[in-house]
């Protein structure tokens, strides 16, 4: 989403990230015995740097140029 010079937000833009997973499923193990961190699904981390955004998910990093 662009930020205008007066500080207001512009229109929301979407950029598909090739290879990124869709909405995550719930873990398929029994949490009654405790949480197993290796089995948990973590939300993606989004790291914008310069004109590129890096998306980190499930041990994978994908870099996508930001729309102009």
């Amino acid at each position: 989403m662009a930020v205008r010079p007066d500080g207001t937000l512009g229109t929301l833009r979407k950029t598909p990230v090739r290879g990124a997973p869709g909405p995550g499923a719930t873990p398929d193990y029994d949490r009654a015995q405790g949480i197993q961190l290796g089995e948990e699904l973590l939300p993606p981390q989004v790291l914008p740097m310069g004109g590129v955004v890096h998306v980190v998910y499930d041990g994978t990093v994908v870099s996508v140029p930001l729309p102009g």
Side-chain angles (χ1 to χ4, degrees):
M1 183 176 304
V3 179
R4 297 183 182 119
D6 65 358
T8 60
L9 299 176
T11 58
L12 180 64
R13 298 181 184 178
K14 293 181 184 179
T15 301
V17 177
R18 185 172 298 159
T26 57
D28 59 354
Y29 70 92
D30 183 13
R31 288 184 175 176
Q33 302 302 316
I35 294 176
Q36 299 173 23
L37 294 179
E39 299 294 326
E40 287 292 311
L41 297 174
L42 302 175
Q45 299 293 314
V46 180
L47 309 168
M49 294 181 195
V52 177
V53 65
H54 305 283
V55 182
V56 182
Y57 59 91
D58 296 333
T60 302
V61 178
V62 178
S63 300
V64 179
L66 292 171

